[in-house]
Every structure is written in C-alpha cells, then in structure tokens.
Amino acid sequence: WGVVGGWGLPSFCFLLVLLPPPPTHLPPPRSQIELMNGPTLLAALDLTHRLDRSFGFAPKMTLSLRDVPGLTRSALPLLAVSGVRALSLGLNSGAPPAEVPLNAPFLWVDRGSGARALTTLHPGGYSGAPVDSKRECITAPGFEHAMCCAWRNDNAGPHSVGEVLAIYETVGAYWPGASVSDSNLDAF
C-alpha cells in the first residue's frame, strides 16, 4: 500500500489506468431528463462526451433511456446541438406508448426547431428476458440488419458467459444462416 496524492488510496489504483476503458453511456446512467432544465441536460451530455474523448472514443451519437415514460420534444433541440443523432427509448409499462412505430426506426422531427433524431421505442422498459423476441427486435424494410437488445434490469450486473452464448443461439435461430454479433447503438 502507498499513499496517492495524500488521500490514503492504495498505490495499485494506478494500475486501473492500464486496463481497457469502460464503455460510457449517453446520458449518464439513471438520468431523468424530464427533471433537467436546459443547462443541466447540456452539462450531462457534455460529461459523457468529455469522458469519451478522455478515453479516446468518438462522442456518443445515440441517447439511450430505459424504463422511462417517454421524452418530450423540447429535449430534441438540446440533444441535436450536443451531437445526438438517434434515440433509443425503453418505455416503462406504466405509460402507454406514443402512436408511432414500435420496434421500428422512425424520424422524430421537432417542427418548431427543425431538430430531428432517428428514434426507436421499445415498450416494456428494457428488452425481452434474456433477449428480445424476434418481433421485438428492431428492423426496417430494406435494411438487412436487425438489432435484438439484451438489456439487464436495474442492478442485475452483466450477463454471464453462458447467458451470452444462449442469447447468440436464440437470436441465430430467428434468422437461420445470418451472422450474429455483438454491437452497440451507435454502430447500428
């Protein structure tokens, strides 16, 4: 043990810098955008983008909110100026979904500001357990890729290796012969 910067932290804390950086999330996890004013939302988005840059990542372009009642259009202009180009919203079961396509991308446009975002709404808050059913996977006519989410519920920790392999097998059975791989919202 050694003292780091006079805080009494163990010297092995410096070893963490050598490990691969953790993935970041836009906005910061557990954000409640509906409770934020404009400057607070912009600061939250900037926090993630600064972390991305410090780890050598490109800033996130997709905002992901899970287990939320929705998002108001007033957030769209602020998201747009922060470089957000897409939204992935997991609507909790306490709120009826808007009358827009579910599990299919659509372009959400704020007519007042002209801000826009490619958006997907997923009813049920997160995803299927442990992965979306075939009808819940995000698909679009003419697009040869599908995104099947395997979110974990709050405080559940990461999937085990066995769960990941089972998810791959399940999704592979939806489209026999298709290549199944892990990805992220920005890549999709």
Side-chain angles (χ1 to χ4, degrees):
W1 292 83
V3 176
V4 178
W7 296 320
L9 298 174
S11 58
F12 69 80
C13 285
F14 283 115
L15 295 177
L16 297 176
V17 188
L18 302 176
L19 299 173
T24 57
H25 189 275
L26 187 65
R30 309 295 175 255
S31 293
Q32 298 294 319
I33 288 180
E34 298 308 317
L35 300 177
M36 296 179 180
N37 62 16
T40 304
L41 176 56
L42 291 172
L45 300 170
D46 183 59
L47 173 65
T48 298
H49 287 154
R50 284 187 289 131
L51 280 172
D52 285 337
R53 285 189 299 275
S54 72
F55 289 128
F57 297 149
K60 300 282 180 296
M61 296 181 299
T62 305
L63 179 126
S64 170
L65 295 174
R66 307 268 72 66
D67 197 21
V68 296
L71 182 69
T72 63
R73 70 179 182 89
S74 64
L76 284 179
L78 297 171
L79 297 173
V81 300
S82 294
V84 173
R85 301 289 174 255
L87 307 171
S88 173
L89 306 176
L91 305 175
N92 71 25
S93 56
E99 293 184 21
V100 296
L102 299 177
N103 304 316
F106 65 94
L107 189 62
W108 188 4
V109 179
D110 172 32
R111 292 184 191 130
S113 68
R116 59 185 57 215
L118 183 65
T119 304
T120 60
L121 297 183
H122 193 295
Y126 290 91
S127 62
V131 67
D132 289 340
S133 67
K134 184 176 181 179
R135 70 174 180 74
E136 294 172 315
C137 295
I138 306 294
T139 60
F143 189 60
E144 63 182 31
H145 300 278
M147 181 174 61
C148 303
C149 296
W151 298 102
R152 294 294 294 240
N153 285 333
D154 292 347
N155 306 316
H159 292 288
S160 69
V161 171
E163 289 172 322
V164 171
L165 295 174
I167 290 167
Y168 272 60
E169 185 177 329
T170 299
V171 173
Y174 296 163
W175 293 280
S179 173
V180 177
S181 65
D182 59 306
S183 189
N184 62 56
L185 295 171
D186 279 356
F188 182 72

